[in-house]
Amino acid sequence: MYGECSVVGGFGKPCPFYEDAPSILQGLSPEDRAETLRLVESRCPALLYDEEGNRKDDNDIVACCSGYQLSIFEESLVVADGIFGRCPRCMRNFVRQICEMYCSPEQDRFVEVDVETDNFGVDYVNEVNYRVYEDYMTNAFNSCAGILVPQTGLPAVNLMCGNAAACDADAWFGFTGDQSINPLAPLQINFLSWPTPEDSMSAEAPLCHETEEGDIPCSCMDCIANCPAGNEPTLPDICTVFSVNCIGFSVGILVFAITVTIFMILALLEFRRRGTGSDGVEKEYTYKVNPITKLFQKVFEKIGRYAAGNPILMIMITSWIAFGLCLGIPRVYMTNSPLELWSEPSSRSRQEFNYFNSRFGPFYRASQVFLTVNLDNFVVSNTTYGPAYRLEAIEELIKLEDAIINISRDEDSVKLENVCYAPLRPIGAEQRVEDCITMSVGTYFPDRVVNNATYLTQIQNCLNNHLLFNCIASWGGGADPEIVVGGYENNILLADTLLLNFPINNELNEDDLVPVLEWEKKFIDLMHDYEENWKSDFMDVAFGTERSIEDELQRVSEAEAIPIVISYMLMFIYVIFALGNIRQCKTFLIDSKIVVGTASIVVVLVAIACALGILGYAQFTITLLAVNVIPFFILSVGVDNVFLMVNTLHEVEDNIKEYDDFDNSLNFEEKKCFIFSKVMGNIGPSMFVSSVTQITCFGIGSLANLPAVRSFALFASFSLGLLFIFQVTTVVAILAIDYKRLKENRLDLFCCVQKKVVEDEETFQEKKPFVSRTKKLMTPYAKFLLNWRVKIIVAIIFMSFLSICIILIPQIVIGLDQEMALPKDSYVYKYLVAVSEKLVLGVPVYFVLKSGLNFTDTDHQNVICGSQMCRDDSLTTQIFLATQYSDITYMSRSSNSWLDDFYDWATLRNACCKYNVTDGSFCSSTSTAPECSYCSIDRGEFANGLRPDSEAFYKYIPFFLQDDPSDACPKGGLASYYSNVNYILDADGRAHVHDSNFMAYHTTLKTSQDFIAATRNGYEISDSITAVIREQTGTDVEVFPYSVFYVFFEQYLTMWADTIKFLSYCLIGTLVINLIATGFNIVITLALMITVIMVMIDMMGIMYMWNIPLNPVSCINLIVSIGIAVEFCSHMAYAYATSKAPPKEKIPDALRRVGGTIITGITFTNIPIIVLAFSYTEIIEVFFFRMFFSIVILGVLHGMVFFPVLLSYINDLKYKV
């Protein structure tokens, strides 16, 4: 072949040539000779050297191509330069095979031509069989395989593999010469991979790291072999023993050994004392009231006396206070917004979220559909395709997509074009649906027609290169294959799911969101209609919008009220029948306390309402879920105290004559005041300790860095505080009124009716004291429990379980999967499952570069860019290296880079940059206006003109960011970067770049642990980038990562530290409160704190056993476990401290006094928790049923079994009994 002799289809066709190759410079003018020589030196330098490698004389340079062909050849390489020019070695290999085919003097050795005749009788070459040595093809392909397209982060070779199932050397070379799929191919070239070098083009094809002299090495991003070694990320080695953490195992075994040894020694000492019959100091013991305890008793005695003496006044005062506080309820701001609930406004991620929104606008809202095709795979032309590519599936997808696009099309209502994300739409331009970004396989069919014979070829072309000319949608871009098909692992052709993606504009102003929310509602309605009425049987659909989760949370919060109301009713019924000591059926309405029970529950609800009012006055945000759950918890605590007060009332009344200050001459009112003063003196301090401890725990919980958890904790704290105040005042007043009713033999509920005493029946007041069955059981129970053999067995069992829990604690999973907040029958739950199981590309992550760099300074450029001569630890290179270890870093695709694409855009001569010759303003590269001409961009001195000079940077950055990408200039930055680079024009019109961002992608994140790890690695990468920039430039520039989920998962990065901190604060608070309340009684405080810590640790062990993850919700519940443990132990501790029995009998006496109340008043009132096991959502079932149920069980076991045993051992040591 030589020269061109015909034009067919707009392409010049070479002439058949059967002579020796002529001199390429012969007969040329000096100007043409110089230009041709330049082209040979730059594009086909192999023609300049003989077989020994010596430079030929200019006149001896022979070739089978003309200078004109070389100039056409040079122009045709513009697109290739834009793709492969980033790596000179690759570009040389790519150009070499073209030069050899067209220009090699040995052309006949490896080229066979098919000659045809045109309409003018001229012969021309229409088809070529080109034998290329297989090693050359493989090495040339490998030298280019690593080059990435900065705009997409995808391999550049994918752009030139056509519809091949796999992009390899054969596909790559085949595409370049196949006129049926490559519109730029001038003739049909059949590349034949040849096994022998003798009869094939067998030039050497060095790999990308083998740099030719004078060339600039390929960058790390484009040639992995040039990347620095030794910086590979690694996962820390975790020591395990029997699949558990070494440290946890060691600590657990050590605790078991030490504690069991201690208890064995204590048991041995007790056995010896019992053997010697020593009674220690028992004979000399005299009960002494602790001064601080006495002070507490006096205070509460006065409160009890006043409340009982003035019940109506007390009820009126507290009612007025409650009324005033409840007026704040209308001011309560309730929300289900995930951002407001689960993101701390002052957190790093939230500040960065706000920064990103203020500089680049909020991230778009996603409306998405997953269509899973339940059909079999099928085979076409020896290629297996997944069911997603079946014709009927594609047709249904397009039908559904058209229906979504046409939502409200025939109505005077919001339409897709009014709310869609359209980055290429000029500001103020007409809103056209064609400008809206939509991404699906349907995008690959711009005419919306699916031809059964060709549709698979079209899809495969676009899967390999979604920026191919016939894959571009009307909005100016292509649909990334990894977000339009899913449900596959490695082979995209085996996909079983089709995706529809509709990015919707997001707005910071709530008023601007109104039409967006309206369209999303119409979208959801349409999808429900599709699923119910016109979906094909082989389709399974999942869908969701930005508003979906919030809507479902609202619906679920309302639905959750049902099981919670059932729990309230069960608790209400239990309280009504359990409070009264029913002696016999005929005295039922006298002995019952239905009014007291009802009034007590009302008091609890009023306390909760007042707390809600306080939150309203303080303008706190709260959730409907908290409003549902808090009353449940507060009600159980409140009812506990009422049981204690009623039981103590009976005990005081039955033993009233034992009080030294009791006077038999007191009238009824005085006696009533005396009794209630003693009731409050006995029970008030323990109620105070329990309540203050719980308030302290929740108060510390309010330090959590999540608004939802903080408002939950504050709500609980205020409720508990007000409840305590109302109980020691209002409830005492109610009990005093009921006491008078009881003494007057008036009926409960019908207090106006008085029962008369008949015959010789003794009056009610003279009946023998009634002792409940539970209280009767406490005597034999105490005797059994405090047997020395039983005590040591109890100690060993509890210490064994404690040690097991310590071993298991490090295995607790951190996180909170968002599916847990939704019922499994919710369409949003189904959508979230589809996202985690079907989507193969993760969430975008933006690395935001704050202002402060001088982008005309090459040192500053080199710490950002990723192309030639950029640093190996630059921003884009570090992100790229992270993607090479995606299983560790959770980064799947390298970032785009406006800086690198600007270099390429400015380098492509006569292809991209255009300006208006009349005023110097911008012209699009696609403009054909006569006043628009190509720019002449001056090159800088750095690396022999590798990049534009400083003035060119200032001048042409705005041009680049306004230029549409096109076939001739794919590097235009309008689509990819216009909204991602902020610049300011100075007085001279020069652009100074300020904030910009670089978009990459995370891997598919399925669980909350994946999201947490991705967040952690995002911060680690950005911190490393920031450190390099500051070190190399001396500036204070910062880089931070931004992804939509970071605001929700940043908290988990310090979850263990925060949990330990909060629990420690609570334990310290509990220690201080109990020390003070017990009058610095070390014995009681030590026993109580040990028990509380054991409950907390055991609860954490159960979290692992029962699959309860650690998160702010479970952290709050762990704090609650401390309060509940104190509730179960404090009354026993107070009974022990105030027991007048001899030291040996103190524990049995305490058990007899309050043990029954702990069972009936604290444990049984929490039985309705079981109803929560049947709640609609897993979050209620896991974090409220499982945890609260476990806390109650642990509390009663430790409070009624271990705590008395521990107290017994310490008591024996103290008194030597």
Side-chain angles (χ1 to χ4, degrees):
M1 297 183 296
Y2 182 84
E4 288 187 2
C5 53
S6 182
V7 176
V8 179
F11 292 105
K13 299 292 185 176
C15 308
F17 189 72
Y18 305 104
E19 301 176 12
D20 291 336
S23 170
I24 196 170
L25 301 178
Q26 184 177 0
L28 297 179
S29 65
E31 295 80 6
D32 291 341
R33 181 185 179 93
E35 175 62 15
T36 301
L37 189 60
R38 182 191 69 79
L39 291 173
V40 172
E41 290 175 340
S42 63
R43 294 302 188 183
C44 301
L47 297 175
L48 301 175
Y49 300 92
D50 58 23
E51 294 180 357
E52 286 77 28
N54 299 316
R55 173 72 184 252
K56 296 179 181 178
D57 184 76
D58 289 351
N59 293 326
D60 294 334
I61 302 173
V62 295
C64 286
C65 60
S66 64
Y68 173 76
Q69 280 182 289
L70 282 177
S71 63
I72 298 300
F73 176 35
E74 169 82 355
E75 293 176 4
S76 69
L77 289 176
V78 170
V79 175
D81 269 328
I83 298 173
F84 300 124
R86 293 163 53 88
C87 181
R89 182 71 275 165
C90 161
M91 191 62 191
R92 285 188 180 279
N93 289 337
F94 179 76
V95 173
R96 177 69 183 270
Q97 50 89 14
I98 301 176
C99 284
E100 292 293 325
M101 185 188 75
Y102 279 106
C103 300
S104 174
E106 300 179 355
Q107 199 182 70
D108 61 336
R109 182 167 59 84
F110 43 78
V111 169
E112 295 177 358
V113 300
D114 177 53
V115 178
E116 294 188 8
T117 304
D118 64 14
N119 295 332
F120 301 99
V122 179
D123 291 341
Y124 66 90
V125 176
N126 186 57
E127 186 172 349
V128 172
N129 290 324
Y130 185 13
R131 296 187 297 272
V132 182
Y133 187 38
E134 57 187 11
D135 285 359
Y136 181 92
M137 290 181 68
T138 300
N139 290 342
F141 175 80
N142 289 340
S143 70
C144 297
I147 298 177
L148 299 180
V149 179
Q151 287 171 310
T152 63
L154 294 172
V157 292
N158 282 13
L159 304 180
M160 301 176 65
C161 276
N163 61 354
C167 188
D168 54 18
D170 290 330
W172 187 49
F173 277 93
F175 172 84
T176 60
D178 190 345
Q179 286 187 307
S180 65
I181 56 177
N182 181 8
L184 298 181
L187 70 160
Q188 179 64 37
I189 304 171
N190 303 314
F191 284 88
L192 307 176
S193 179
W194 212 253
T196 55
E198 296 82 12
D199 51 351
S200 64
M201 196 286 288
S202 55
E204 184 180 358
L207 297 178
C208 62
H209 64 282
E210 300 175 37
T211 304
E212 189 166 313
E213 184 178 355
D215 279 348
I216 299 173
C218 304
S219 69
C220 163
M221 287 185 62
D222 298 320
C223 180
I224 195 68
N226 285 341
C227 290
N231 297 323
E232 298 81 3
T234 57
L235 291 173
D237 292 329
I238 300 177
C239 174
T240 59
V241 177
F242 303 117
S243 300
V244 297
N245 185 276
C246 286
I247 297 177
F249 181 82
S250 302
V251 173
I253 295 299
L254 185 63
V255 167
F256 177 79
I258 292 174
T259 54
V260 170
T261 300
I262 291 173
F263 279 111
M264 292 293 288
I265 293 172
L266 293 174
L268 181 60
L269 292 175
E270 180 180 4
F271 177 75
R272 287 184 176 179
R273 283 196 297 271
R274 289 179 182 274
T276 59
S278 172
D279 290 332
V281 298
E282 186 169 346
K283 295 178 182 179
E284 307 170 3
Y285 176 75
T286 302
Y287 171 70
K288 296 180 180 179
V289 181
N290 185 287
I292 297 179
T293 303
K294 190 172 182 178
L295 175 63
F296 274 105
Q297 289 177 337
K298 291 295 184 183
V299 171
F300 282 102
E301 282 180 3
K302 290 183 178 181
I303 294 173
R305 183 182 298 276
Y306 185 83
N310 304 276
I312 303 300
L313 177 63
M314 188 60 68
I315 293 172
M316 290 178 62
I317 292 173
T318 52
S319 298
W320 294 336
I321 294 172
F323 179 77
L325 292 176
C326 288
L327 290 177
I329 292 178
R331 303 187 182 187
V332 172
Y333 176 53
M334 289 193 183
T335 182
N336 285 306
S337 168
L339 183 65
E340 292 186 26
L341 293 176
W342 302 106
S343 175
E344 167 59 37
S346 63
S347 66
R348 171 184 175 179
S349 59
R350 186 68 174 274
Q351 295 297 314
E352 292 168 348
F353 169 87
N354 294 334
Y355 189 93
F356 183 92
N357 288 347
S358 66
R359 298 307 194 275
F360 309 107
F363 191 74
Y364 60 78
R365 302 164 67 93
S367 294
Q368 201 169 39
V369 180
F370 289 79
L371 296 174
T372 300
V373 186
N374 298 312
L375 296 172
D376 296 330
N377 293 347
F378 62 104
V379 178
V380 176
S381 301
N382 296 322
T383 300
T384 302
Y385 294 89
Y389 302 105
R390 284 190 174 272
L391 178 64
E392 56 267 42
I394 302 297
E395 289 177 336
E396 180 152 342
L397 173 131
I398 292 178
K399 180 182 177 182
L400 177 60
E401 185 174 28
D402 289 342
I404 295 172
I405 291 173
N406 291 317
I407 287 176
S408 301
R409 186 65 53 200
D410 299 326
E411 303 173 12
D412 185 17
S413 181
V414 61
K415 301 175 180 61
L416 178 62
E417 57 264 34
N418 305 136
V419 297
C420 70
Y421 181 62
L424 297 184
R425 179 190 294 162
I427 297 176
E430 178 189 358
Q431 294 179 337
R432 302 183 311 120
V433 72
E434 291 79 11
D435 297 328
C436 297
I437 290 183
T438 60
M439 291 193 181
S440 73
V441 170
T443 308
Y444 302 154
F445 300 93
D447 57 1
R448 316 304 283 171
V449 176
V450 184
N451 187 315
N452 187 31
T454 61
Y455 83 97
L456 283 175
T457 300
Q458 174 67 10
I459 289 175
Q460 204 156 315
N461 281 338
C462 298
L463 292 179
N464 283 339
N465 178 13
H466 64 280
L467 299 178
L468 201 63
F469 316 120
N470 56 349
C471 300
I472 299 297
S474 60
W475 49 268
D480 192 319
E482 292 187 342
I483 60 175
V484 299
V485 292
Y488 64 91
E489 292 185 1
N490 299 313
N491 186 355
I492 194 172
L493 296 182
L494 298 180
D496 66 4
T497 301
L498 296 167
L499 281 75
L500 285 163
N501 301 275
F502 294 88
I504 303 298
N505 270 333
N506 207 349
E507 304 291 346
L508 297 177
N509 189 314
E510 290 187 5
D511 293 337
D512 295 335
L513 270 180
V514 171
V516 173
L517 295 174
E518 181 183 346
W519 187 89
E520 288 179 344
K521 180 66 170 60
K522 291 177 178 291
F523 170 86
I524 294 170
D525 292 341
L526 171 68
M527 292 309 304
H528 281 306
D529 179 64
Y530 166 74
E531 185 174 24
E532 296 169 5
N533 299 318
W534 52 286
K535 175 180 72 66
S536 297
D537 293 338
F538 60 80
M539 280 290 190
D540 188 22
V541 62
F543 58 91
T545 67
E546 195 84 3
R547 68 173 291 164
S548 295
I549 292 181
E550 190 170 341
D551 288 347
E552 282 297 278
L553 287 177
Q554 176 69 26
R555 182 183 71 84
V556 168
S557 296
E558 295 170 357
E560 287 293 1
I562 296 175
I564 292 174
V565 167
I566 294 174
S567 298
Y568 291 162
M569 293 176 63
L570 290 176
M571 188 180 296
F572 179 77
I573 293 170
Y574 171 76
V575 169
I576 287 175
F577 288 98
L579 267 181
N581 287 334
I582 311 299
R583 302 166 186 268
Q584 47 190 323
C585 291
K586 63 182 181 181
T587 62
F588 174 82
L589 285 178
I590 294 177
D591 294 334
S592 67
K593 294 192 180 298
I594 298 175
V595 172
V596 170
T598 304
S600 299
I601 291 174
V602 170
V603 168
V604 174
L605 297 179
V606 169
I608 294 168
C610 291
L612 197 58
I614 292 175
L615 293 178
Y617 283 124
Q619 296 185 334
F620 274 99
T621 299
I622 197 166
T623 68
L624 188 58
L625 184 64
V627 174
N628 285 339
V629 174
I630 286 290
F632 184 85
F633 171 70
I634 303 301
L635 194 60
S636 65
V637 173
V639 172
D640 297 348
N641 289 336
V642 175
F643 269 91
L644 289 166
M645 294 167 74
V646 170
N647 291 341
T648 305
L649 173 61
H650 290 305
E651 184 176 349
V652 170
E653 187 179 13
D654 293 341
N655 301 283
I656 193 169
K657 294 181 180 180
E658 295 181 7
Y659 290 94
D660 297 334
D661 53 346
F662 175 69
D663 186 353
N664 277 321
S665 63
L666 296 175
N667 61 33
F668 176 78
E669 286 297 324
E670 291 173 337
K671 181 180 178 182
K672 180 184 69 172
C673 292
F674 177 84
I675 290 174
F676 277 94
S677 70
K678 295 304 178 184
V679 168
M680 293 309 297
N682 287 350
I683 199 63
S686 61
M687 287 176 57
F688 174 79
V689 170
S690 176
S691 297
V692 172
T693 301
Q694 290 173 345
I695 292 169
T696 301
C697 290
F698 276 112
I700 291 171
S702 67
L703 299 175
N705 51 4
L706 290 181
V709 176
R710 184 165 56 246
S711 63
F712 184 95
L714 285 172
F715 191 7
S717 295
F718 288 133
S719 298
L720 286 168
L722 291 167
L723 177 61
F724 174 75
I725 293 171
F726 289 162
Q727 283 187 326
V728 299
T729 55
T730 308
V731 173
V732 171
I734 293 170
L735 286 172
I737 294 173
D738 184 73
Y739 178 81
K740 183 176 181 180
R741 173 200 65 80
L742 188 65
K743 292 306 176 181
E744 293 178 356
N745 281 1
R746 295 185 181 275
L747 301 184
D748 196 13
L749 292 177
F750 309 101
C751 57
C752 294
V753 180
Q754 185 176 21
K755 182 180 178 182
K756 296 181 180 180
V757 179
V758 296
E759 299 177 352
D760 294 331
E761 189 176 312
E762 56 186 353
T763 61
F764 181 82
Q765 294 92 327
E766 294 173 347
K767 290 180 180 179
K768 294 179 181 179
F770 173 80
V771 180
S772 67
R773 292 183 177 87
T774 310
K775 190 169 184 178
K776 289 177 181 178
L777 289 173
M778 287 300 105
T779 300
Y781 173 72
K783 183 177 180 181
F784 169 78
L785 180 66
L786 299 177
N787 180 280
W788 74 273
R789 294 181 181 87
V790 175
K791 285 165 59 177
I792 189 60
I793 292 173
V794 167
I796 292 174
I797 291 174
F798 275 80
M799 290 304 106
S800 299
F801 189 74
L802 175 69
S803 301
I804 291 171
C805 291
I806 291 174
I807 292 172
L808 295 178
I809 286 174
Q811 271 68 246
I812 296 176
V813 174
I814 298 177
L816 176 61
D817 293 333
Q818 53 188 342
E819 295 92 331
M820 297 181 73
L822 300 165
K824 293 186 177 180
D825 63 350
S826 166
Y827 80 92
V828 182
Y829 181 91
K830 187 177 180 182
Y831 167 69
L832 294 176
V833 171
V835 169
S836 64
E837 293 182 355
K838 298 299 184 180
L839 202 59
V840 296
L841 184 64
V843 185
V845 53
Y846 297 84
F847 288 87
V848 178
L849 174 64
K850 290 187 176 182
S851 61
L853 291 183
N854 176 10
F855 283 98
T856 63
D857 187 328
T858 54
D859 290 335
H860 290 206
Q861 294 173 357
N862 290 340
V863 295
I864 303 301
C865 61
S867 52
Q868 294 169 282
M869 300 302 291
C870 299
R871 290 183 58 86
D872 289 339
D873 53 5
S874 69
L875 182 149
T876 48
T877 303
Q878 287 200 50
I879 298 172
F880 165 75
L881 291 174
T883 63
Q884 305 306 301
Y885 306 93
S886 58
D887 56 330
I888 297 175
T889 62
Y890 292 86
M891 298 291 296
S892 69
R893 187 183 291 181
S894 185
S895 71
N896 59 17
S897 173
W898 63 267
L899 188 57
D900 290 296
D901 272 332
F902 171 69
Y903 294 157
D904 295 341
W905 177 86
T907 301
L908 297 176
R909 293 187 305 164
N910 298 333
C912 291
C913 184
K914 283 187 176 181
Y915 72 104
N916 189 310
V917 295
T918 61
D919 58 10
S921 61
F922 164 76
C923 283
S924 171
S925 60
T926 59
S927 175
T928 57
E931 63 270 18
C932 291
S933 178
Y934 285 109
C935 311
S936 177
I937 301 178
D938 295 331
R939 315 303 294 179
E941 296 180 359
F942 178 74
N944 296 323
L946 179 66
R947 301 172 188 167
D949 68 6
S950 299
E951 288 303 316
F953 188 95
Y954 287 132
K955 180 176 181 179
Y956 293 114
I957 271 289
F959 284 28
F960 163 69
L961 294 175
Q962 296 175 73
D963 195 18
D964 283 315
S966 63
D967 298 347
C969 179
K971 295 293 184 176
L974 177 63
S976 299
Y977 304 118
Y978 181 76
S979 61
N980 296 339
V981 180
N982 295 330
Y983 62 87
I984 295 177
L985 297 176
D986 62 16
D988 299 322
R990 302 190 307 170
H992 297 266
V993 174
H994 283 238
D995 301 292
S996 62
N997 67 61
F998 300 76
M999 185 182 75
Y1001 283 90
H1002 281 299
T1003 56
T1004 303
L1005 308 174
K1006 299 180 181 297
T1007 66
S1008 55
Q1009 290 75 48
D1010 293 339
F1011 282 98
I1012 295 166
T1015 303
R1016 178 185 299 108
N1017 282 283
Y1019 282 125
E1020 289 177 354
I1021 293 169
S1022 66
D1023 290 344
S1024 175
I1025 294 170
T1026 299
V1028 170
I1029 292 175
R1030 291 177 176 177
E1031 179 183 353
Q1032 298 299 323
T1033 65
T1035 61
D1036 193 28
V1037 171
E1038 177 190 1
V1039 173
F1040 68 82
Y1042 165 76
S1043 193
V1044 290
F1045 64 87
Y1046 281 12
V1047 289
F1048 305 115
F1049 287 92
E1050 181 205 2
Q1051 59 188 297
Y1052 294 106
L1053 302 181
T1054 57
M1055 193 69 247
W1056 268 118
D1058 290 342
T1059 300
I1060 293 172
K1061 178 178 68 176
F1062 293 149
L1063 293 178
S1064 299
Y1065 289 164
C1066 288
L1067 290 173
I1068 293 171
T1070 303
L1071 174 65
V1072 172
I1073 292 168
N1074 281 274
L1075 269 177
I1076 295 172
T1078 59
F1080 296 93
N1081 189 318
I1082 303 299
V1083 172
I1084 296 176
T1085 304
L1086 177 63
L1088 188 140
M1089 290 304 300
I1090 290 174
T1091 307
V1092 168
I1093 292 172
M1094 286 179 61
V1095 170
M1096 181 188 72
I1097 292 174
D1098 289 351
M1099 187 61 241
M1100 296 176 78
I1102 288 177
M1103 285 176 62
Y1104 173 77
M1105 299 177 195
W1106 215 347
N1107 297 322
I1108 303 172
L1110 178 63
N1111 52 55
V1113 179
S1114 54
C1115 178
I1116 285 291
N1117 287 342
L1118 285 173
I1119 293 172
V1120 170
S1121 72
I1122 296 176
I1124 295 294
V1126 172
E1127 176 87 8
F1128 275 100
C1129 297
S1130 61
H1131 303 299
M1132 181 77 69
Y1134 182 75
Y1136 166 80
T1138 58
S1139 174
K1140 298 179 181 180
K1144 191 174 181 179
E1145 296 298 323
K1146 276 181 169 291
I1147 310 300
D1149 182 59
L1151 276 170
R1152 285 191 292 268
R1153 288 169 58 191
V1154 299
T1157 303
I1158 290 174
I1159 297 296
T1160 59
I1162 302 179
T1163 308
F1164 288 170
T1165 53
N1166 285 286
I1167 287 178
I1169 288 175
I1170 295 173
V1171 177
L1172 296 183
F1174 306 99
S1175 100
Y1176 292 95
T1177 61
E1178 200 174 358
I1179 194 170
I1180 296 293
E1181 188 267 331
V1182 170
F1183 298 107
F1184 295 98
F1185 163 67
R1186 294 186 193 179
M1187 290 201 76
F1188 277 4
F1189 180 79
S1190 301
I1191 290 169
V1192 170
I1193 297 301
L1194 288 174
V1196 70
L1197 288 176
H1198 283 77
M1200 288 298 296
V1201 180
F1202 179 76
F1203 183 64
V1205 169
L1206 178 61
L1207 205 55
S1208 173
Y1209 278 125
I1210 298 176
N1211 179 75
D1212 291 350
L1213 285 177
K1214 178 179 179 180
Y1215 295 108
K1216 299 180 181 178
V1217 296

